[in-house]
Amino acid sequence: MACTNKLVPEGTGRKSLQVVYGDVTLGISGRVENKDFRYIFSYARGGMESLVIDGKEWLYRIPSPTFWRATTDNDRGNGFPLKSGIWMAADAFIRCVGGRVCVDGKEISMPIAPENNKYSEEETAEILEITYIYETITVPRTQVEVTYQVNGEGIITVAVHYHGQPELPELPVFGLRFIMPTCADRYIYEGLSGETYPDRKAGGVEGVYEVSGLPLTPYLVPQDCGMHMDTKWVTVYRSKELDNTRKEEKMGELRFELDGLAFSCLPYTACELENATHMEELPPERRTVLCIYGAVRGVGGIDSWGADVQPPYHIDGSRDIRYSFRICVE
C-alpha cells in the first residue's frame, strides 16, 4: 500500500519533527506551545511502545487490535461465545508480521540496523507514518493493519483496517486497545449519556459528560459494560504514574478525537473480566484500559434464554472494517 498523507487533518501546521532512527526503534519528538511530546515505535515489539506528553507516559502495553468483549448474560443465553469464541484467543494472542515506514509521503526502507546507519542524529520530517501488519491466529487467518501518522503538531492519526475473511465467525467487537500505566482519575467525553450499545442507545442524550474514576457495573457475574456509542471526543485524566523518581503527582490529560466512534474506559481488559465469575475474583484495579471501537455487536436482551441479537447489529467476520481517530497533545 502507498503512504497515506490524506489522513493528516486539514489546516494543521508544518512544524518539523525530530526523528531518531534507532537500531530497533523509531523515535519522534517535538514541542507544541508549552508541552513536549515524545513517541517511540518499536520494530521488535511490533507497535507503539511509548507515548510521552509533558513528561508523562501514557502507554503500559503496545496498543493492540481487540476482538473480544466480556460475554454478557444475553451472549451466553444465545450461545454466542460457543460460535465466536475463537475471537477471544485472537484477542489474547496476535503477532506482528510486517510493516512499513513513510517519511513526508515517501516510503523508505525499513530503518533497522544496519540500514539506520545512513541517518544522522539531526534528522527531521514534517509527516512521519509507520504501519504495523498483524496476523490473527484464527482459522482461516486474517490481517489487521494499524497505521500511525504523526505531524509536527504532535497529532497522531490512527487508521485501523480489519481484512474480512470468508468462513470467519461473527465478531463481538473490533477496535484498538490502549493500556495505560495507572488508573485514571476521571474521563470526560462528548456523546450520548450513560452506557449505550448499537441496539441500546435510543435513550441516550447528547452532551458533555464527566465520569469519575473507572466505574464497573456491579453485575453478579462480571461482563462487558461501560460502552459509549457515537462519541465525538474523550479526554482521559491521570495524576498517578509509575515513576518513583517524581516527587509530585501531576495531572496529565490525553485527548482522543473519535468523530462518532465508540469507546470504553475500564480498569480491566475483556479477558480479565471474562475470567472472573464473581466481582471479588477480579484483580486489584491498577491500569486504565481504553478501547476505541470501529464496530460493536448489539447486546440484545429480548430473551436472555435464547433470542439472538437483531440482524442489523451483528458484525460479519467476512467483511472489511476501516476506521480512524486522532490522539492530540492538549
Side-chain angles (χ1 to χ4, degrees), residues 254-321:
L254 188 61
R255 179 184 175 95
F256 296 78
E257 295 184 351
L258 306 187
D259 298 333
L261 297 173
F263 83 95
S264 65
C265 193
L266 300 170
Y268 303 112
T269 65
C271 288
E272 288 174 323
L273 289 171
E274 193 71 63
N275 192 51
T277 58
H278 294 87
M279 296 297 288
E280 61 267 23
E281 295 177 8
L282 290 168
E285 297 182 2
R286 293 192 177 96
R287 315 285 181 231
T288 300
V289 181
L290 176 74
C291 296
I292 309 297
Y293 299 106
V296 179
R297 176 182 167 87
V299 291
I302 300 169
D303 178 353
S304 292
W305 291 268
D308 199 357
V309 173
Q310 292 296 296
Y313 308 112
H314 292 230
I315 306 175
D316 186 349
S318 68
R319 301 184 64 177
D320 282 25
I321 303 171

Side-chain angles (χ1 to χ4, degrees), residues 19-22 24-28 39-43 101 103 108 111 128-130:
V19 184
V20 176
Y21 297 96
V24 293
T25 61
L26 188 153
I28 300 173
Y39 312 141
I40 298 177
F41 297 89
S42 173
Y43 313 122
V101 176
V103 180
I108 64 173
L128 195 142
E129 175 183 303
I130 183 165

Side-chain angles (χ1 to χ4, degrees), residues 43-265:
Y43 313 122
R45 298 182 63 193
M48 186 180 189
E49 67 176 6
S50 181
L51 194 166
V52 175
I53 296 176
D54 202 22
K56 183 178 287 289
E57 176 62 75
W58 285 91
L59 292 183
Y60 184 71
R61 292 282 188 268
I62 286 174
S64 176
T66 184
F67 309 95
W68 192 252
R69 68 169 191 215
T71 49
T72 66
D73 290 337
N74 297 320
D75 290 332
R76 291 186 285 270
N78 61 49
F80 178 70
L82 301 178
K83 295 178 285 188
S84 294
I86 194 171
W87 289 117
M88 182 176 174
D91 192 275
F93 303 104
I94 194 167
R95 65 171 180 167
C96 182
V97 295
R100 60 184 177 273
V101 176
C102 296
V103 180
D104 291 334
K106 296 181 180 180
E107 185 170 352
I108 64 173
S109 299
M110 190 63 72
I112 58 177
E115 178 70 19
N116 63 320
N117 290 333
K118 69 182 183 181
Y119 297 102
S120 72
E121 297 180 354
E122 298 180 356
E123 298 291 336
T124 62
E126 291 184 349
I127 300 170
L128 195 142
E129 175 183 303
I130 183 165
T131 297
Y132 295 96
I133 302 170
Y134 301 94
E135 186 176 76
T136 66
I137 63 170
T138 55
V139 180
R141 297 178 181 179
T142 191
Q143 291 187 339
V144 174
E145 295 181 15
V146 179
T147 297
Y148 300 90
Q149 190 178 84
V150 186
N151 69 7
E153 301 291 335
I155 297 172
I156 307 173
T157 301
V158 186
V160 189
H161 180 194
Y162 162 84
H163 292 264
Q165 189 70 259
E167 300 181 15
L168 283 176
E170 296 177 10
L171 292 101
V173 294
F174 174 65
L176 194 65
R177 178 176 59 240
F178 295 83
I179 301 182
M180 301 174 184
T182 58
C183 287
D185 296 76
R186 68 184 190 278
Y187 61 90
I188 300 175
Y189 71 96
E190 183 176 359
L192 300 178
S193 60
E195 180 179 275
T196 52
Y197 285 85
D199 55 353
R200 289 291 183 273
K201 63 179 184 179
V205 179
E206 292 187 3
V208 177
Y209 300 95
E210 179 173 347
V211 179
S212 296
L214 299 170
L216 196 70
T217 305
Y219 293 112
L220 179 63
V221 178
Q223 54 196 276
D224 191 66
C225 60
M227 187 69 69
H228 299 282
M229 302 297 298
D230 300 348
T231 306
K232 294 182 179 179
W233 54 264
V234 58
T235 300
V236 180
Y237 296 84
R238 287 175 47 242
S239 58
K240 295 181 179 179
E241 52 190 302
L242 298 181
D243 187 350
N244 293 325
T245 65
R246 297 178 72 125
K247 303 302 181 183
E248 297 181 1
E249 291 185 350
K250 181 180 179 181
M251 184 66 72
E253 57 188 85
L254 188 61
R255 179 184 175 95
F256 296 78
E257 295 184 351
L258 306 187
D259 298 333
L261 297 173
F263 83 95
S264 65
C265 193

